[in-house]
Amino acid sequence: EVQLVESGGGLIQPGGSLRLSCAASGFAVSSNYMSWVRQAPGKGLEWVSVIYSGGTTYYTDSVKGRFTISRDNSKNTLYLQMDSLRAEDTAVYYCTMRKRPENYFDYWGQGTLVTVSS
Amino acid sequence: DIVLTQSPATLSLSPGERATLSCRASQSIISYLAWYQQKPGQAPRLLIYEASNRAAGIAARFSGSGSGTDFTLTISSLEPEDFAVYYCQQRSNWPLTFGGGTKVEIK
């Protein structure tokens, strides 16, 4: 059974850094297309970043140069390093996995809340 | 970026009624569209992919249609558990984008 469990969220001051983790089970993170999707409080969904099985990464424009997606194959865990955080980064961050060939989000974790505030 | 506009923002219906949700793209996305359902406090769940294919385990009362720029999600007869927010998402171009959502609420 596929499971995704995020952790690492919390309250952080503007300009600070935070690293989110997503522990995966039931499949290999290294062999799959993994993304982070976020949702600001009371708002819609926004794709943030993706890492392909081959290691290629992409980011939405608003986080380029500030966020870094990575994975640890030995721990079967996905990460999102978030630097230079801004108030507008406040959101629930979901870890997702694509099962089919198309770029949709088949599996989701429960999410972790990041609040950027002084 | 491709903008997805969902309408209406809120749909007030009774159980047993038919729900018709719309998603319009700012340019053609062929049939590269998915629909998700999100209940309060939960992660979204994939319902429909490639405009009209039901994901595994999704009830037959959910159906998707459309191509090009206009897409529809239909719930043939609303069950109590269907009252939720629904989002569309396109995979035609990067960045992947979502619509703003339609809330289906109990009338």
Side-chain angles (χ1 to χ4, degrees):
Chain A
E1 180 192 6
V2 170
Q3 279 200 315
L4 299 166
V5 180
E6 301 96 334
S7 61
L11 175 63
I12 187 75
Q13 291 190 340
S17 296
L18 211 54
R19 188 179 80 159
L20 305 183
S21 300
C22 172
S25 58
F27 71 99
V29 166
S30 61
S31 301
N32 287 273
Y33 167 113
M34 305 292 297
S35 281
W36 289 95
V37 175
R38 67 184 178 183
Q39 185 171 35
K43 301 297 184 182
L45 300 165
E46 180 185 27
W47 169 78
V48 174
S49 180
V50 62
I51 183 166
Y52 288 141
S53 56
T56 301
T57 60
Y58 293 101
Y59 302 89
T60 193
D61 283 349
S62 63
V63 309
K64 278 180 187 174
R66 300 189 299 122
F67 289 12
T68 304
I69 191 171
S70 64
R71 65 190 180 209
D72 184 329
N73 297 341
S74 65
K75 295 182 178 178
N76 209 32
T77 298
L78 179 73
Y79 300 101
L80 186 66
Q81 176 67 40
M82 303 186 295
D83 298 321
S84 303
L85 281 161
R86 307 168 180 166
E88 55 264 35
D89 296 319
T90 294
V92 173
Y93 284 74
Y94 294 102
C95 168
T96 71
M97 189 266 274
R98 183 188 87 174
K99 181 184 73 173
R100 69 194 69 258
E102 303 88 8
N103 287 341
Y104 301 121
F105 308 104
D106 296 88
Y107 294 98
W108 298 66
Q110 85 288 350
T112 187
L113 176 62
V114 173
T115 303
V116 185
S117 175
S118 54
Chain B
D1 297 4
I2 293 178
V3 176
L4 298 178
T5 302
Q6 292 189 241
S7 61
T10 304
L11 200 51
S12 298
L13 295 168
S14 300
E17 289 193 294
R18 182 184 190 90
T20 304
L21 288 66
S22 173
C23 177
R24 177 164 290 178
S26 58
Q27 64 189 74
S28 176
I29 56 171
I30 318 297
S31 62
Y32 302 150
L33 187 95
W35 291 93
Y36 299 83
Q37 176 194 65
Q38 186 178 33
K39 298 179 181 179
Q42 295 185 17
R45 176 176 68 146
L46 179 65
L47 298 176
I48 301 287
Y49 64 96
E50 300 295 68
S52 61
N53 297 286
R54 271 191 304 276
I58 300 304
R61 64 182 180 273
F62 292 93
S63 64
S65 64
S67 64
T69 61
D70 291 305
F71 300 86
T72 300
L73 174 70
T74 301
I75 311 172
S76 59
S77 178
L78 282 164
E79 297 288 339
E81 61 268 28
D82 300 336
F83 291 92
V85 180
Y86 293 83
Y87 294 95
C88 56
Q89 176 241 322
Q90 64 82 23
R91 71 164 184 93
S92 178
N93 284 17
W94 290 98
L96 306 178
T97 53
F98 292 87
T102 290
K103 181 180 181 180
V104 179
E105 66 176 22
I106 299 177
K107 186 174 182 180

